Amino acid sequence: MSDLPAMIGPYQVLKPLGAGGMGEVFLAYDERLDRRVAIKRVRSGAGSTPERRERFRREARLAAKLNHPAIVQIYDVLTEGDESYIVMELVEGTNLRRLSDDGPLPVEEVVALARDVAEGLAEAHRQGIVHRDLKSENVLVTPEGRAKIADFGIAKRVLAGTEDSLTADGRVLGTFRTMSPEQARGEAVDFRSDLFSLGVLLYEALAGQSPFAAENELAVLSRIVRDRQAPLRQVRPEVPEELSILVDHLLEKDPLRRPRSAREVAQALAGRTLHSQAGTGSRTVIEPVSWLPPPGSAAPAAPAAGIPAPAPHDSALTSSGRRFGVLTWAAVALLLVAAAAAAWISLRPARHPLYVAVLRPAIAARSQAPEESELLASAVRLALLQGVLSLEDLSPRPFDEVDKAAGPPTAVARAVSVDELVSAKLECRPELCRIVLNRLSGQDGSILWASTFEAPTDNLSVLANAASRQLRLGYADHRARKGAQDLAVTDQDLREFLQIRRRFDSRQEPSLATLEGRLAAIRGRSPRFLDAYLLAADVARHRFWTSRSPEDLQRGFRLIAEAHDLAPDDPQPLFARIDLALAGQDVGLAEKTLAELRPLIPGDVALLERSSRILDAQGKSQEALAQLRTATRLQPSSKRLHNLAQLELKLGHVAAAKSALNLLLQRSPGDFDGTSMLATIELLNGDVNRAIQLYRQLVSRSPGTGELSNLSVAYLFAKRYAEAADTARTILAREPGNPLYVLGLGDAYLLMGRRQEAEEQYRRILELTSSGPSRTDPQFLTVKAQALAHLGQGRQAVAAVQEALRLAPDNGSTAYEASLVYALLGEDDSALVNAEKAVKSGFGPRWFSFPWFDSLRRRPEFQTMTGSAVTGASSG
């Protein structure tokens, strides 16, 4: 340490406290206020010019605004000649690093200290300041056991419009073992970098070792960027599972996967979820946990862009006088360049996208007719979606999912699990529209970017492309996707397309062939209009679901191929191809397409979801469930939670399904699909009359085929057979070629005693399942087997059901339907074996109340299995 000055400004210097990479620290006395203080002298290299000294004062003044019990308070900033000083609160006690020198600290003590640190970080982040060198040496612990974060004096302000940090100086600086991956790579850092460092701090205090310890600095940095740490519970089993999981999330390589804010971490540390003891039972993966964010969740304040990485600093603000050495990047720069300069590129992980919801535009003034106003708004929204899709690392949510979410922007963001929203407001006159665009934070609804422009109303294409270009300016930090282009469509074709899409989405057009013809005409006039191909392919897919015609399937594939040729780097055609391949049971094509899709949208959670669907189509239900659970943990949107609950229920995990639905309705109260799934659970094992009530409510809101089908089943359980038949006929009027609904009508007739009419329906099923994908779909195979069994064709029925069981060996529904087929054929032992599988999958006694199971219900082993006694059954 250099010579001890007698005075620094009005402060009497008493003794040195320590030194580090950024300067020296002295104990001093403030005679004016009769208090002892700590004074840091910043090394002259960091303040040798007037410009840098002025930047130093600005940075220090920013940090001085922080006033929180968990942050060391800055009192004063001084400049004398070429020297710069920070005067700050003197904290009696020690630091966290010293406390943990002798080994891991008690869990309760670490949680209490970490909560203080998280609350201090939350206050700093709220004011737009990120620490950038949080470590145990910089956490001071008072004699009362409270934590205070030191050295915010050289932190970085990250709010938009502020200047570079005093201490950055164009270098990647910081403490190696606590650097975040993005900081180690020399990239811009924001609040989430502090969260990673907090994870390192927690790990060190609880495990007594660094999560990324290695033989040298380069190896440490490599491990930080590339390797995953051993879970805390593996190193120290008494750490509660929830705390171990929290640390794992803080240490995610991708900042978008870390908790959304320090405030949430503080709440989790204070919450009851961390008080469970080691060794207790496991909990469902999708159980609501406050610190578990959707990927890409924004920090509480505006994001930073292009911020240099931090400089190192010491933390010798204690009464002990111990020196704390800090390594700088400069000390090993030559080593890194010589040893692994080219390796840094390979250390970069795949970036995860920013998830965005494009809201339905608001119409402020309607000088046009309502239909024209809606067309204007629809054109702008389509263009905004195109703008999002034209940029790399942005992932939009589908319109239908966004529109189902109700409430203010923050509620929508929570329901669809996005980081940002794009809103538009139209103020239109007959000749001109004034359009206001906003990027909104999904966390708090604050405006991140805004733009106002005007466009003519007499040409929808011009107006739409103006909106798309404006939005791309709002995401200037994202590169354009290769081959991205404007909407290549004429005004008239865009108008007609929007009308067609509205009729298709609302199912107002009974003839899908009519829609296909109109879309073909648009493609002829505007051959580079991608959306016309995608919508036509979707129409073909829906036609295939009702017709089961291979021609519809092939037409859809041709349209997707043309769309892919138009935009080979656009992910939409590949998503559409996967959906169509799965509809046609071409799992190989779906897998091949997923492999093509991955490089276009690396890290997108949608990849996991599609992978789950492919695995499920292969009969690998448990693997599919694991993939979907991971996707839902990463991005718990309402739709994904619903899909998870559906798969959990399919596999008999009723409690897990309820947990997913509870989280869904917590995130999106009144959600239609969530309510429908709850009705399904009532249908499975709950109150059948309650299920009927819920389904009738749902049908009155939106008479979808799924709700009608389940309502028909509920009527069967309630022995209201005539109503079941009426409901089945309503469904078949919409989907006359679906064997599942034909079976529902046939069963209703049979239970009513109308055997001849029932057998007509069963023969119709055999016609519908005689060719095409129905021959390899487990569900259609069991439907076919039931029809064959009812018609007395036992050998063929057994062959069909055995093939279904081979294709879906773990599927509870397949097992139930197999037990029904065997019961109809009088093969009670085989029926009992499959009934046991079905019961384990969640099928309760109600499902075996039909007269077809009369002989099975008399078996004592079946009664033991289901916990039910023999009950009378009606005959059909």
Side-chain angles (χ1 to χ4, degrees):
M1 184 173 287
S2 57
D3 293 339
L4 189 70
M7 298 289 292
I8 297 176
Y11 303 97
Q12 178 186 356
V13 178
L14 301 178
K15 66 177 182 178
L17 288 179
M22 280 303 298
E24 303 151 310
V25 180
F26 307 105
L27 174 65
Y29 176 67
D30 184 352
E31 190 176 62
R32 299 165 302 171
L33 298 177
D34 188 24
R35 66 181 176 187
R36 295 196 303 169
V37 297
I39 300 180
K40 169 172 284 190
R41 177 165 63 187
V42 179
R43 293 193 188 279
S44 58
S48 58
T49 67
E51 293 80 8
R52 292 194 61 76
R53 287 197 296 274
E54 177 57 29
R55 289 170 63 191
F56 168 83
R57 285 191 290 269
R58 284 199 297 267
E59 292 287 337
R61 281 196 295 267
L62 288 172
K65 293 180 179 179
L66 296 175
N67 185 7
H68 190 275
I71 296 175
V72 174
Q73 180 69 50
I74 293 179
Y75 295 142
D76 200 358
V77 181
L78 300 172
T79 301
E80 293 187 349
D82 290 338
E83 303 289 351
S84 298
Y85 303 90
I86 301 175
V87 183
M88 61 195 81
E89 173 188 3
L90 178 71
V91 179
E92 304 287 351
T94 186
N95 64 40
L96 184 58
R97 182 63 182 267
R98 285 180 176 173
L99 283 178
S100 55
D101 277 348
D102 295 330
L105 299 175
V107 172
E108 296 78 6
E109 181 180 349
V110 175
V111 168
L113 293 173
R115 179 186 176 187
D116 288 343
V117 173
E119 289 175 344
L121 287 176
E123 174 60 20
H125 295 170
R126 188 184 69 81
Q127 297 199 34
I129 297 175
V130 58
H131 193 290
R132 301 194 305 173
D133 196 18
L134 181 68
K135 56 188 175 181
S136 55
E137 294 93 322
N138 284 345
V139 175
L140 309 182
V141 182
T142 70
E144 296 77 27
R146 302 306 301 267
K148 283 180 173 284
I149 308 172
D151 266 357
F152 264 108
I154 59 170
K156 169 69 187 181
R157 185 165 175 83
V158 297
L159 291 180
T162 58
E163 300 180 28
D164 288 346
S165 170
L166 160 72
T167 54
D169 199 24
R171 296 175 293 165
V172 179
L173 299 171
T175 303
F176 285 100
R177 74 175 201 280
T178 61
M179 277 186 180
S180 64
E182 60 270 26
Q183 191 174 351
R185 293 190 299 265
E187 297 174 352
V189 297
D190 62 12
F191 311 105
R192 291 166 294 197
S193 182
D194 280 349
L195 298 184
F196 186 92
S197 299
L198 177 58
V200 174
L201 184 151
L202 269 165
Y203 195 106
E204 289 180 344
L206 289 165
Q209 64 187 53
S210 169
F212 307 109
E215 61 274 13
N216 56 52
E217 289 86 355
L218 178 59
V220 170
L221 292 174
S222 177
R223 289 201 63 194
I224 286 173
V225 174
R226 175 175 288 168
D227 296 342
R228 189 166 181 83
Q229 70 285 349
L232 256 177
R233 291 200 78 192
Q234 180 178 319
V235 179
R236 188 180 179 189
E238 64 266 30
V239 172
E241 179 185 8
E242 292 82 356
L243 182 55
S244 180
I245 292 172
L246 173 57
V247 173
D248 282 344
H249 280 274
L250 287 166
L251 294 177
E252 287 283 0
K253 306 299 183 189
D254 185 345
L256 301 180
R257 291 175 177 254
R258 294 171 203 154
R260 286 177 293 189
S261 67
R263 179 72 61 201
E264 286 199 355
V265 177
Q267 290 170 348
L269 291 166
R272 55 185 171 82
T273 58
L274 297 184
H275 298 322
S276 63
Q277 298 301 313
T280 57
S282 62
R283 56 185 175 84
T284 305
V285 173
I286 47 75
E287 182 177 343
V289 181
S290 63
W291 47 262
L292 184 62
S297 297
I307 302 168
H313 54 287
D314 68 59
S315 57
L317 302 183
T318 70
S319 59
S320 63
R322 177 179 176 181
R323 296 167 59 98
F324 300 103
V326 181
L327 292 172
T328 68
W329 181 274
V332 294
L334 292 177
L335 170 66
L336 296 180
V337 172
W344 287 108
I345 295 176
S346 67
L347 293 179
R348 293 177 180 270
R351 288 183 296 179
H352 291 261
L354 189 74
Y355 295 97
V356 179
V358 179
L359 300 175
R360 189 190 299 274
I363 303 173
R366 295 179 181 269
S367 57
Q368 290 87 4
E371 184 174 349
E372 180 68 14
S373 295
E374 291 299 328
L375 277 177
L376 291 169
S378 296
V380 168
R381 193 182 194 192
L382 180 67
L384 295 177
L385 176 65
Q386 177 65 27
V388 172
L389 286 165
S390 70
L391 298 171
E392 291 184 355
D393 302 320
L394 293 182
S395 178
R397 303 304 299 157
F399 284 167
D400 60 343
E401 188 175 346
V402 175
D403 291 344
K404 285 179 181 178
T410 50
V412 175
R414 184 170 176 80
V416 299
S417 195
V418 294
D419 311 304
E420 292 186 7
L421 309 101
V422 174
S423 70
K425 182 178 180 181
L426 279 61
E427 299 174 356
C428 297
R429 303 186 296 278
E431 71 288 351
L432 204 67
C433 265
R434 181 174 181 267
I435 303 173
V436 179
L437 298 182
N438 286 314
R439 274 178 66 185
L440 305 175
S441 164
Q443 179 77 8
D444 57 15
S446 60
I447 297 176
L448 305 176
W449 169 87
S451 175
T452 302
F453 66 98
E454 293 184 338
T457 60
D458 61 353
N459 191 314
L460 280 189
S461 181
V462 171
L463 180 144
N465 283 318
S468 179
R469 292 168 193 162
Q470 286 291 321
L471 185 67
R472 288 199 288 269
L473 293 176
Y475 284 99
D477 52 332
H478 289 261
R479 294 186 302 177
R481 192 180 294 278
K482 183 180 177 182
Q485 58 183 340
D486 287 339
L487 294 172
V489 60
T490 66
D491 169 66
Q492 185 55 43
D493 283 341
L494 181 55
R495 288 176 179 273
E496 183 163 4
F497 171 81
L498 293 171
Q499 292 168 346
I500 293 170
R501 194 181 68 175
R502 183 171 61 191
R503 293 187 69 80
F504 176 69
D505 289 344
S506 62
R507 303 297 187 263
Q508 293 176 347
E509 176 58 64
S511 172
L512 295 178
T514 300
L515 295 185
E516 286 185 323
R518 294 174 65 187
L519 286 168
I522 291 175
R523 296 196 304 276
R525 296 188 298 267
S526 297
R528 299 197 61 78
F529 182 33
L530 179 66
D531 290 87
Y533 294 86
L534 295 173
L535 181 57
D538 202 22
V539 172
R541 181 167 63 92
H542 278 76
R543 284 194 67 179
F544 172 72
W545 272 115
T546 56
S547 69
R548 314 309 296 181
S549 167
E551 288 77 15
D552 288 327
L553 195 65
Q554 292 306 315
R555 184 167 55 258
F557 282 125
R558 286 195 299 271
L559 288 161
I560 290 169
E562 293 176 37
H564 186 54
D565 289 342
L566 276 178
D569 292 290
D570 192 311
Q572 296 178 96
L574 296 178
F575 274 123
R577 189 199 293 165
I578 291 174
D579 292 342
L580 196 59
L582 291 176
Q585 294 296 303
D586 191 342
V587 179
L589 178 59
E591 286 183 305
K592 177 178 177 293
T593 306
L594 185 64
E596 293 180 51
L597 191 56
R598 285 194 175 101
L600 295 180
I601 52 171
D604 197 311
V605 178
L607 296 170
L608 279 172
E609 187 172 46
R610 288 308 197 282
S611 176
S612 171
R613 289 177 55 191
I614 291 170
L615 288 166
D616 193 38
Q618 293 172 319
K620 301 175 181 178
S621 300
Q622 294 299 334
E623 295 175 54
L625 179 60
Q627 291 271 29
L628 189 53
R629 281 175 171 173
T630 300
T632 307
R633 177 178 61 81
L634 295 173
Q635 192 188 39
S637 68
S638 297
K639 184 175 182 180
R640 193 161 287 128
L641 283 162
H642 175 267
N643 291 342
L644 176 61
Q646 194 170 39
L647 186 54
E648 297 276 18
L649 201 59
K650 173 182 173 182
L651 298 178
H653 307 156
V654 178
K658 285 184 177 180
S659 181
L661 291 171
N662 286 334
L663 180 55
L664 187 162
L665 293 174
Q666 173 188 331
R667 297 176 68 89
S668 183
D671 180 87
F672 185 93
D673 292 334
T675 305
S676 176
M677 185 60 70
L678 282 177
T680 300
I681 290 178
E682 294 286 6
L683 178 63
L684 280 170
N685 292 305
D687 183 344
V688 67
N689 291 318
R690 175 60 176 159
I692 290 173
Q693 180 185 16
L694 288 172
Y695 282 125
R696 292 181 67 169
Q697 291 174 3
L698 292 167
V699 167
S700 68
R701 290 171 57 185
S702 177
T705 301
E707 284 67 43
L708 282 167
S709 176
N710 286 337
L711 177 59
S712 178
V713 173
Y715 281 138
L716 288 178
F717 282 144
K719 300 183 181 180
R720 295 161 64 171
Y721 303 134
E723 291 167 288
D726 287 343
T727 307
R729 283 191 290 267
T730 300
I731 303 170
L732 287 170
R734 301 180 187 181
E735 298 191 26
N738 192 313
L740 181 64
Y741 304 137
V742 177
L743 178 66
L745 180 59
D747 287 348
Y749 283 151
L750 188 62
L751 292 167
M752 294 167 67
R754 295 161 61 173
R755 179 172 293 277
Q756 183 176 352
E757 292 169 278
E759 291 180 351
E760 289 176 4
Q761 301 303 319
Y762 297 144
R763 283 190 288 270
R764 185 180 172 197
I765 290 171
L766 300 185
E767 295 174 3
L768 292 171
T769 58
S770 62
S771 62
S774 297
R775 301 178 64 183
T776 57
D777 185 305
Q779 185 178 56
F780 288 136
L781 282 169
T782 58
V783 169
K784 179 180 180 179
Q786 290 175 70
L788 287 166
H790 281 299
L791 292 171
Q793 300 179 38
R795 184 176 60 83
Q796 297 95 321
V798 169
V801 81
Q802 286 181 347
E803 177 64 9
L805 289 169
R806 185 187 69 81
L807 292 171
D810 300 322
N811 189 295
S813 296
T814 303
Y816 168 76
E817 288 156 358
S819 71
L820 190 154
V821 170
Y822 284 122
L824 284 169
L825 298 176
E827 298 185 18
D828 285 357
D829 289 336
S830 296
L832 191 62
V833 168
N834 286 282
E836 184 175 10
K837 292 181 182 178
V839 169
K840 290 180 178 178
S841 296
F843 284 78
R846 171 181 299 154
W847 288 86
F848 299 91
S849 64
F850 296 117
W852 311 310
F853 292 103
D854 282 353
S855 61
L856 195 64
R857 288 199 310 277
R858 296 190 185 97
R859 297 279 293 262
E861 56 265 55
F862 177 80
Q863 295 173 29
T864 301
M865 179 199 312
T866 61
S868 62
V870 177
T871 58
S874 59
S875 60

